[in-house]
Amino acid sequence: MTPGVAEQVRPVDTARTELLTVGVEEEFLLTDPATGAAVPAVHAVLERVPPELAGQVQLEFQTSQVEIGSPPGLELAALRHSLALLRSGVADAAEQAGARLVAVGTGPVPGPVPPVVDKPRYHQMVERLGLLVPSPGSNGMHVHVGVGEPDLAVEVLNHLRPWLPILHAATANSPFYEGADTDYASWRSMLWERWPSVAPTPYLESYAHYQRLIDELIATGIMLDDGMLYWYSRLSATYPTVEIRIGDVCPSLDDTILIAALCRALVATVVQEIETGRPAPQVEHHRLVGAHWRAAHDGLEGRAVDPETGDLRPAWHVLRDLFERVRPQLDRHGDLGLVTYLLGKLHSHGTGAARQRAIFDRSGQLSDVLDELARETRG
């Protein structure tokens, strides 16, 4: 019998100890500056994006959304510079098109549901999913970390599973929906989880097992293709990367860079553990589902499921545990000082969800929340 990936012990491969690249994709909502409602303005916005940025800006599922993607690299400073140019360039294009670019998980105020982008694949998705689809737009953040070998990348997915909920909590940025406080820090997560292929990544025996599960999901009609594999971490269908895709889009670049750095350091940490023969914890699926629900509900301002014990603890304590776990790789990648600073800033100011609620508590106006989100989006 062929051993599962968790049972395979190999000597350390020094070729794999190189620094890992990181890249980020971010999705944004296009809103009416006067009402705050989502607007179907993406084509008008794309027409106005500067030519030098056009290759890194693209359509998303709905006409009220736009996506940017940074090139992969080693330096967080370069990542930040790239995302800053993209955010400001697309924000300018949105203003020229009579809209506003907002980094928020989903639409805070009521309004008509914008149509999906006119692509055959998207129309097929609407046909297949029916009433699961309508919403102002579901805007997430995807972090790509360079792991080129498929078998190793699948092992990485197994090791990541218990730690993704606390990263989920750290990105919470959608407490308001249809004009009301949802009592969740990330309402986008709850809307998104209605889709049948959205779930915690299962424990995988091998790359062949990973491929077999994709084939089964397509054969049963749950997915049209492998691009609809919406597990919280996966192998990118396009790049030689592990793709972590659990969070709302972050309101500010500081938040984005912090999450990207923690994701890279976590991947680098588990790669090292794999190479020394440490098996991945086989966490029960129901516990992961509960941990992600708790993350969406509480954000960092409540409690989180401890990745090792399953106990509920203050979410900030769990995030601090993650920081300590990956500290050596943060240091090795040259990110420790910046991440320490950004983590302190996040602790002081709160998640995007907490910041939105603080603004609303002061003024009682969602328009003020959207004004601040637009300011943070631009940077």
Side-chain angles (χ1 to χ4, degrees):
M1 181 188 231
T2 303
V5 292
E7 300 166 4
Q8 298 177 31
V9 179
R10 298 186 300 270
V12 174
D13 181 350
T14 55
R16 291 180 183 150
T17 63
E18 296 175 359
L19 300 182
L20 303 183
T21 60
V22 63
V24 170
E25 296 168 334
E26 295 185 297
E27 299 161 351
F28 302 96
L29 192 67
L30 298 169
T31 66
D32 184 312
T35 68
V39 291
V42 68
H43 292 292
V45 172
L46 289 179
E47 288 173 1
R48 292 164 173 80
V49 169
E52 63 272 18
L53 301 179
Q56 295 169 258
V57 184
Q58 62 183 7
L59 299 163
E60 239 302 313
F61 184 62
Q62 285 176 261
T63 52
S64 53
Q65 296 175 275
V66 64
E67 181 179 50
I68 65 172
S70 72
L74 294 173
E75 300 293 334
L76 290 186
L79 175 65
R80 185 187 183 95
H81 179 70
S82 174
L83 291 174
L85 288 176
L86 286 163
R87 281 184 173 220
S88 62
V90 178
D92 287 343
E95 289 175 11
Q96 293 164 21
R100 188 157 67 168
L101 188 75
V102 181
V104 66
T106 192
V109 302
V113 176
V116 300
V117 169
D118 188 16
K119 285 186 174 182
R121 181 172 181 269
Y122 291 161
H123 291 305
Q124 282 182 277
M125 290 165 73
V126 172
E127 251 179 66
R128 183 72 54 86
L129 297 172
L131 288 177
L132 293 184
V133 171
S135 75
S138 179
N139 304 304
M141 167 190 176
H142 309 151
V143 180
H144 289 260
V145 182
V147 181
E149 183 189 326
D151 286 313
L152 175 61
V154 164
E155 293 188 76
V156 168
L157 299 184
N158 286 340
H159 282 256
L160 292 178
R161 295 166 76 237
W163 289 99
L164 294 185
I166 194 60
L167 290 170
H168 188 169
T171 65
N173 185 39
S174 51
F176 298 104
Y177 186 71
E178 295 290 323
D181 191 320
T182 64
D183 290 328
Y184 280 78
S186 174
W187 188 244
R188 178 206 65 91
S189 299
M190 306 315 295
L191 296 174
W192 185 228
E193 285 172 8
R194 300 177 303 173
W195 289 43
S197 58
V198 175
T201 309
Y203 189 88
L204 300 158
E205 297 171 3
S206 63
Y207 179 62
H209 182 210
Y210 178 86
Q211 292 291 346
R212 186 166 69 251
L213 291 179
I214 291 175
D215 292 342
E216 289 174 2
L217 290 168
I218 293 172
T220 56
I222 290 173
M223 304 190 318
L224 297 176
D225 50 44
D226 60 1
M228 281 186 70
L229 185 71
Y230 299 135
W231 292 343
Y232 298 143
S233 61
R234 69 179 188 182
L235 309 191
S236 171
T238 309
Y239 309 107
T241 61
V242 166
E243 182 181 359
I244 297 171
R245 42 183 303 118
I246 40 77
D248 292 349
V249 63
C250 292
S252 75
L253 271 177
D254 280 349
D255 300 328
T256 298
I257 296 302
L258 172 62
I259 298 301
L262 288 173
C263 286
R264 173 167 66 176
L266 179 57
V267 171
T269 298
V270 302
V271 166
Q272 186 176 61
E273 291 173 352
I274 290 164
E275 293 302 332
T276 58
R278 180 171 174 174
Q282 298 198 37
V283 183
E284 295 288 350
H285 179 77
H286 72 272
R287 196 169 104 187
L288 291 177
V289 170
H292 280 284
W293 175 84
R294 175 64 67 175
H297 185 271
D298 288 21
L300 289 177
E301 284 64 46
R303 294 186 293 173
V305 176
D306 186 284
E308 295 177 342
T309 68
D311 296 334
L312 279 179
R313 297 173 56 212
W316 272 104
H317 293 188
V318 178
L319 185 61
R320 186 73 191 186
D321 287 349
L322 173 63
F323 172 76
E324 293 299 336
R325 177 180 173 82
V326 304
R327 177 193 284 267
Q329 289 297 334
L330 288 171
D331 191 28
R332 186 166 164 269
H333 283 79
D335 302 339
L336 182 58
L338 178 59
V339 168
T340 301
Y341 165 74
L342 293 177
L343 197 61
K345 186 175 179 183
L346 183 65
H347 189 261
S348 297
H349 296 176
T351 61
R355 302 200 299 265
Q356 287 187 50
R357 283 180 168 138
I359 295 166
F360 187 78
D361 287 346
R362 288 195 297 269
S363 75
Q365 301 294 322
L366 282 175
S367 58
D368 291 338
V369 174
L370 284 161
D371 287 347
E372 178 59 20
L373 281 170
R375 186 192 68 78
E376 283 201 77
T377 302
R378 179 181 284 280

